[in-house]
Amino acid sequence: MAKKITTIIPKEEIEKQYHFMQSVQSENERIAASKGKRNAKAFVRTFGCQMNEHDSEKISGMLTSMGYEITDCQEDCDIIVFNTCCVRENAEEKVFGHLGALKGLKRANPDLIIVVCGCMTEQPHIVDEIRKKYKNVDLVFGTHNLHRFPELIYNVMTSRVRTYETSRTDSEVAEGMPVKRDSNIKAWVTIMYGCDNYCSYCIVPYVRGHERSRRPEDILKEIKELQSQGIKEVTLLGQNVNSYGKDLEPAATFAGLLDLICKETDIPRIRFMTSHPKDISPELIDTMAKHPAICDQLHLPVQSGSTRLLEKMNRRYTKERYLDIINNVKKKIPGISLTTDIIVGFPGETEEDFAETLDLVEKVGYDNAFTFIYSKRTGTPAASYPDQVPDDVVKERFDRLLALQNGISRRINDTYEGKIVEVLTEGLSKNNTDRYTGRTGGGKIVNFTAPYDVTGKIVNVKITHIQTWSLEGELIEDEK
Ligand code: 5AD
Ligand code: SF4
C-alpha cells in the first residue's frame, strides 16, 4: 500500500477562517450596539481526555478572536459549546443529560446558539439522535472540522439554519489557528492526530480518523513561542505518540522529535502521552534517559495482563513482551514513575485472565492505574463478541483491582517520606488556601507550605506527610 503523506491545510483556507472570525466579531458588536447589550459571552464544556481539553483551548481561542468573552457560567450566555467524548457509554449519557437541561435556557433566550462538537458527533447514529430529539442544537461539527468553526458559526448566526458538518478530509492538519490556554505555567502541544491501531474495543480510530503528524518545524515553533511566554512544562499529545512521523515526508520518529525539542529549546519539563507498547522503541527509552528535561514518567496502557485477551483486543504484544519493556525502562531510568490504563470485563474475560492482570499490576508496581469497566461501543469488533461478562462479576473484579492498585500506590508514596523532591508549583491548593500545589517530574501531586509566593517556579520541597493520592511537605529552597 502506498504511504499516505499528511499535508497542511492551505494557507488560504486558514486566512478565510480568520476572515470569518472578524465577521462574527463585527456581527456580535452590531447586535450588542443595537440591543444596548454587553459583550457576547461563550461557555465551553469539555468531556473526556486531554486531547479534548486541548481542542477546547483551540475552540476558546477561536471564540475569543470572534469577540466572545469566555465565562464559566452557562446561564446568561450567547453561545454554549459541548466538546464531547464517546470512548465509553457513560460519557455519552452525560452529554445527552446536559443537552436536555439546556432546553429551558434556549426557551428563555431563543438567540442562544448551542453547538455540539468532538468525538460523539463523528458517529451517524448520534447525529441522528441529536437531529430528532435535541431540536435546540444549532450546530454539530466533527473532529476533522475544528478549524472551520468560525465559518460554521457565521453561517448559523446569519442564516439561523441548523447545520451539521462531520467527517471531511482525513489527511491534513491545520496550522496557525488561535489557542486560548487555561494555564500560563504548563501547556499541551498536539504532535499528531488520529489513531491507526484499531484495538477491538475502541471507537477512537473511527471518530478521530487516520494518524496525521504535524511537521517537526511547526511543533518546534509552537514550543519556542511557549517558552518565550514563560511556560515551564509542555505535554506532547497524540493518541499514539510512538508512531509519530511515519506519515511525513521526510519521515520522522518520536525519539528524534524529542531529541530535537531538547536540543533546540530550554523548556524545563517535557512530558508526553499516550504511548503504545507495541511501538515503543529502545531509542525512545534511551532518549528519555539522556535528556534531564524529559520527565521520569511513562504512561503505558496495558489494558489487560492476559496474553489471550490482548490478542482478542488486537493489541499486538504479549504479557511477557510488556514486562520486558517495563524492565528495560526501569533499568535505564531508575525511579521512573509508571502509570497505565486497564479495562476490566472485556468480552470473554475469565477469572484466569483477570488473575493475569492482577499479577502484572503487582509485578510492574504502577504509581497509578486508570481502571475502566469495559463499555460496548457500536461499530467496534468487540461489540459483537459473544460472552459479554455479567455486570456483577465485572464490578467485583473492578473493586479487587482498585484495592490492589490503591495498596501499591500507597506503598510507593510511603517511600517518599523525608525525601526532597522538585515541584513545579501551579498555584494555591483549591481546598487548602494556605498551601501551594504542584507536581513532581514523576507526576505526583505535592501540597506544601511556603513563606512566599512560588507559583510558576520549580522548587525543592521536603516531604513530611504521605497520602494515598498526594504528598505533603514544606519548601526548603528558593527557585533554581
Ligand atoms: N471500554 C472501556 N474502556 C475503554 N477505553 C477505550 N475504549 C474503551 C471501552 N470501549 C479505555 C482504554 C484507553 C483509555 C483512554 O480508555 O483503557 O486506554
Ligand atoms: Fe483506541 Fe487503541 Fe488507538 Fe488507544 S491505541 S486510541 S485504545 S485504538
Side-chain angles (χ1 to χ4, degrees):
M1 208 172 77
K3 181 173 151 182
K4 204 167 165 190
I5 303 295
T6 298
T7 53
I8 295 175
I9 292 172
K11 216 169 76 213
E12 299 72 44
E13 170 63 23
I14 301 296
E15 280 166 2
K16 189 172 94 182
Q17 297 306 322
Y18 272 92
H19 178 76
F20 278 112
M21 285 185 237
Q22 266 173 10
S23 304
V24 174
Q25 183 170 21
S26 309
E27 190 61 17
N28 272 329
E29 281 164 5
R30 190 188 61 74
I31 295 169
S34 71
K35 296 193 177 164
K37 248 180 75 180
R38 49 143 181 82
N39 287 344
K41 286 187 185 174
F43 173 78
V44 182
R45 190 188 286 273
T46 313
F47 301 83
C49 66
Q50 286 83 356
M51 208 76 168
N52 257 22
E53 295 276 351
H54 186 37
D55 278 352
S56 288
E57 292 184 333
K58 296 176 188 171
I59 291 166
S60 295
M62 291 186 259
L63 285 166
T64 307
S65 300
M66 290 189 267
Y68 290 98
E69 178 192 327
I70 310 291
T71 91
D72 45 17
C73 165
Q74 69 179 23
E75 279 75 34
D76 186 34
C77 258
D78 300 273
I79 180 168
I80 294 178
V81 181
F82 281 3
N83 187 14
T84 64
C85 166
C86 63
V87 79
R88 283 170 291 276
E89 194 178 1
N90 57 2
E92 289 187 347
E93 281 163 359
K94 260 195 237 159
V95 171
F96 281 127
H98 283 290
L99 271 184
L102 288 186
K103 286 183 179 165
L105 272 186
K106 182 85 168 190
R107 227 173 291 129
N109 173 16
D111 290 336
L112 172 67
I113 297 176
I114 299 179
V115 182
V116 183
C117 63
C119 294
M120 260 174 93
T121 65
E122 290 286 349
Q123 303 173 98
H125 71 277
I126 295 283
V127 177
D128 274 353
E129 189 163 345
I130 296 176
R131 207 187 289 266
K132 285 191 199 119
K133 297 198 193 144
Y134 298 89
K135 298 210 159 53
N136 54 349
V137 173
D138 301 279
L139 169 62
V140 173
F141 69 94
T143 56
H144 300 73
N145 314 60
L146 193 63
H147 68 283
R148 288 180 36 78
F149 182 44
E151 180 173 349
L152 296 169
I153 282 290
Y154 182 76
N155 291 345
V156 168
M157 267 180 128
T158 50
S159 72
R160 276 288 160 180
V161 173
R162 292 179 82 193
T163 304
Y164 304 84
E165 189 182 276
T166 56
S167 267
R168 282 158 70 97
T169 168
D170 187 71
S171 57
E172 291 180 327
V173 296
E175 293 294 346
M177 296 298 286
V179 184
K180 185 177 187 299
R181 298 188 186 268
D182 289 340
S183 162
N184 52 13
I185 297 167
K186 38 187 212 172
W188 285 306
V189 172
T190 309
I191 63 161
M192 63 186 300
Y193 303 87
C195 179
D196 285 344
N197 288 319
Y198 293 93
C199 301
S200 64
Y201 50 82
C202 186
I203 193 78
V204 168
Y206 306 90
V207 297
R208 287 259 174 193
H210 282 299
E211 288 175 356
R212 283 148 289 152
S213 305
R214 291 178 68 201
R215 297 185 313 181
E217 57 268 40
D218 293 325
I219 297 169
L220 209 54
K221 184 168 160 241
E222 183 172 347
I223 297 178
K224 282 183 175 166
E225 273 164 24
L226 292 169
Q227 185 183 325
S228 70
Q229 292 158 16
I231 289 283
K232 297 276 169 58
E233 178 179 303
V234 159
T235 303
L236 307 174
L237 287 180
Q239 233 61 248
N240 174 17
V241 291
N242 310 100
S243 57
Y244 171 79
K246 287 182 187 152
D247 54 323
L248 293 175
E249 189 69 61
T253 66
F254 183 52
L257 177 71
L258 277 176
D259 212 40
L260 184 75
I261 296 169
C262 290
K263 283 183 182 143
E264 300 271 327
T265 74
D266 292 319
I267 291 281
R269 281 189 175 184
I270 298 162
R271 299 184 194 278
F272 56 87
M273 65 187 311
T274 292
S275 294
H276 194 304
K278 80 173 167 54
D279 294 320
I280 226 164
S281 65
E283 295 81 61
L284 171 64
I285 299 166
D286 291 342
T287 307
M288 288 178 74
K290 185 166 93 187
H291 294 291
I294 304 176
C295 291
D296 289 351
Q297 180 197 18
L298 183 64
H299 181 64
L300 197 61
V302 68
Q303 313 299 359
S304 167
S306 154
T307 297
R308 192 185 75 86
L309 276 197
L310 287 170
E311 199 177 331
K312 282 183 140 200
M313 289 176 164
N314 192 29
R315 292 290 290 177
R316 287 170 275 175
Y317 54 86
T318 61
K319 178 186 184 188
E320 289 67 37
R321 168 91 188 101
Y322 184 91
L323 287 172
D324 279 351
I325 298 169
I326 293 290
N327 286 337
N328 186 28
V329 171
K330 283 181 177 170
K331 199 169 79 205
K332 297 249 170 79
I333 312 166
I336 188 165
S337 167
L338 295 165
T339 56
T340 198
D341 293 344
I342 298 174
I343 297 177
V344 180
F346 182 80
E349 183 187 72
T350 61
E351 187 52 37
E352 290 73 43
D353 292 317
F354 183 63
E356 295 278 5
T357 299
L358 295 180
D359 177 61
L360 178 133
V361 166
E362 190 68 71
K363 284 195 168 112
V364 175
Y366 293 109
D367 289 73
N368 198 358
F370 301 91
T371 49
F372 305 106
I373 287 181
Y374 169 73
S375 170
K376 201 171 171 173
R377 303 285 62 214
T378 309
T380 62
S384 57
Y385 287 178
D387 47 11
Q388 306 273 333
V389 186
D391 287 353
D392 54 335
V393 176
V394 179
K395 176 79 176 62
E396 190 273 335
R397 287 182 189 160
F398 184 83
D399 290 345
R400 262 193 286 159
L401 175 60
L402 211 63
L404 173 67
Q405 182 54 48
N406 285 353
I408 296 172
S409 297
R410 177 70 202 212
R411 218 161 63 208
I412 295 176
N413 276 3
D414 281 344
T415 65
Y416 281 83
E417 178 94 50
K419 278 193 185 158
I420 293 166
V421 293
E422 267 190 5
V423 178
L424 170 56
T425 318
E426 291 169 26
L428 282 169
S429 154
K430 282 204 181 78
N431 31 16
N432 198 336
T433 47
D434 64 347
R435 279 167 188 235
Y436 289 88
T437 188
R439 284 184 190 261
T440 63
K444 296 221 177 287
I445 297 173
V446 182
N447 298 313
F448 62 99
T449 52
Y452 45 88
D453 189 358
V454 285
T455 304
K457 295 181 176 168
I458 296 177
V459 294
N460 284 335
V461 173
K462 180 164 182 179
I463 302 303
T464 53
H465 190 70
I466 310 289
Q467 310 269 15
T468 304
W469 303 120
S470 62
L471 308 172
E472 286 174 28
E474 56 202 28
L475 181 83
I476 60 159
E477 200 186 276
D478 202 354
E479 186 183 17
K480 296 202 266 145

